[in-house]
Amino acid sequence: IYEVGGAESGYVAVNPADPAIVYAGSSGGGEGGRLTRYDHRTRQRREVSAWPQRTAGLPAEGYKWRFQWTAPIHLSPHDPATVYSCANVVFRSRDEGETWERISPDLTRNDAQKLGPSGGPLTPDHTGVEVYCTVFAFAESPRVEGLLWAGSDDGLIHVSRDAGATWDDVTPPRTLLPDWALISTITPSVHDPDTVYVAATRYKWDDRAPYLLKTRDGGRTWHAITAGIAPEDFTRVIREVPGQPGCLVAGTESGVYLSWDDGERWRRLQLNLPIVPIHDAVIHDDDLIVATHGRGFWILDDVTGLRDPGQDSLCLFIPKPAVRLRPSGRLRWSKEALTNVGRLAHPTIVLEAPAGDSHYLVEQANTGEAPRFADQGQNPADGAVLHYVLPPDVSGPVSLTIRDEAGEIVRTFSSESQGKERTLAADPGAHAFVWNLRHVGPPPLGDTEAPADGEADGALVVPGTYQAELQAAGRTARVPVTVVADPRVSTAFEHLVAQRDFVQSVVQTLTGLRQTVTRAREVRDRARAWARQIEGTPYRDTVDGLIADRVARIEELASRLARPPAPRGLRPMALSPRLEDQLTYLRSIADTADYRPTAAMQRLYQECSRDVERVVGELEAAIAVTTRDVTDALTAQGIPLV
């Protein structure tokens, strides 16, 4: 872990064009407005403060510029080399902090009564950062370069439409925003340059009311947008959900709210989020990330499902692009960990990670649940997350079909799925379903052990555009699904196609093998049932030998294809491998990494497929002969086939 900058306070801004560059603010040891630029390539931090004055020991009136404890740092969305740093004025650097220029007058009330020593005359502490009358919120419009917005902690809002040359006071009227409010966040719209959202607080004045405001004309007029938020749940942040005009997220003293109608009405979006103050929020790559007062981050993976589906309609949302990923390895259980899991009711055990690091893990033994790490977050699901909404009148099965660019079916899911195939939810309301980007795999093998997770899966699909088709209640919804390559992988596309085709060829051979073996075992069991049916009758001696002979032939051929169930107390691995085992192993090793199959894999598959074709042909013939001969024998004796 490397310290990129900052301390217990301060903004952090990451260069979107070069994520190795991180700007961070901090209070340091009493230096207001301290700003560093960190380069992860060199792991060096450079001091680039706009005004590196040591302010500890001085009252605010003694500062040249007043920087807040959490002084805003903002990178221009139009030029990441342009950095803004805010005190009671706004500074701008066009060369990543090498030089700075002041581009505004004092944008605060500059009230002399608020500029004395922090703590007042009785308990002065002169920390150098607990100051008032500062710019607390700042943003540049993502739509128009040089359209700048600034809000102060003493209740003023200013806008510059000419890159800081001139500034206009556009503070909302007192009827909407009483004096001395703290402007917590300013969010210019990504859809309209004249639309801006503001969150403010006045709890320090014993006013816990929520203050959310919106302008659609560049600050000339303002409107309150707090309907639906609890009367004393004061607000700190408001953000837009990209791709859905009018979809807003607000963070309050107790949690998160959502609006689909541009703030006209809010609904609480708590889910499993604790009741906790939300200080900031951002939507990044379609994930909603909120920062809490408890120094924690909570992430709602994929905000696609937050978008309004409309009323009483079947809706399938366009998912965000799915990255074609493979598991990157697994943790190794230490001997001590394995011992503790078996011995303790509620053990705390240590896992040895591949890199040699240790992670504390909390698990309740004998619950069958996966281990839970106490010091790690939970990753989002791998694959394409498909959000859908079923109308109130939905009835009958729900199905989801994935097709490739040629219209061929890649995978189908249903609310009536059986076995290991995942099942769709079919009740009215909103749901999310994860397609793991894989083709269909082979069916399970009759009466063998239950297949492991992933056994129903085939090869990973190749990057491209697919189509998801949702059917329910006689209606159909279709959306494109984009699958992109792992950016870390440079394997040629044609090699990925070769791998997919090879794995699916193995799957197809396995499918035919297992279907034939399953059918053979069904015929075997039916013949044995007929034999039991005639026990104790005069026909037994006539038919029993025939059934035993035919069943023995079926079992002998089927056992060449697949291992029979292991006897009690004997592990299946103790039995000699069969063609089914070899194909299953071949399918596994050919699909472990993003490479085309090796020549050895292809030669082995050719040998196995020839053997499978020969044995399957013999078994199919044995099944037909058994069914014919036993049926004829029973019918000749007048025995009903039950």
Side-chain angles (χ1 to χ4, degrees), residues 266-382:
W266 295 88
R267 299 178 184 178
R268 184 175 284 276
L269 182 68
Q270 203 67 29
L271 302 176
N272 64 337
L273 178 69
I275 301 299
V276 63
I278 304 299
H279 279 236
D280 206 350
V282 65
I283 290 86
H284 177 71
D285 288 344
D286 270 349
D287 295 335
L288 171 61
I289 306 167
V290 299
T292 73
H293 184 66
R295 300 187 183 186
F297 291 101
W298 283 73
I299 302 176
L300 176 61
D301 297 321
D302 193 357
V303 298
T304 303
L306 299 184
R307 299 187 171 106
D308 189 3
Q311 298 296 320
D312 300 336
S313 61
L314 175 70
C315 185
L316 179 62
F317 295 103
I318 298 176
K320 68 178 183 180
V323 182
R324 187 181 181 275
L325 296 174
R326 292 183 182 275
S328 57
R330 65 183 66 183
L331 293 175
R332 298 193 302 271
W333 291 76
S334 67
K335 182 177 180 180
E336 178 186 2
L338 291 170
T339 302
N340 286 340
V341 168
R343 185 178 68 239
L344 302 179
H346 303 303
T348 298
I349 59 180
V350 178
L351 292 185
E352 183 184 355
D357 298 327
S358 293
H359 296 284
Y360 289 97
L361 173 145
V362 178
E363 178 188 275
Q364 293 187 3
N366 304 320
T367 63
E369 298 179 359
R372 176 175 63 85
F373 291 103
D375 61 346
Q376 291 185 341
Q378 181 180 358
N379 288 329
D382 290 335

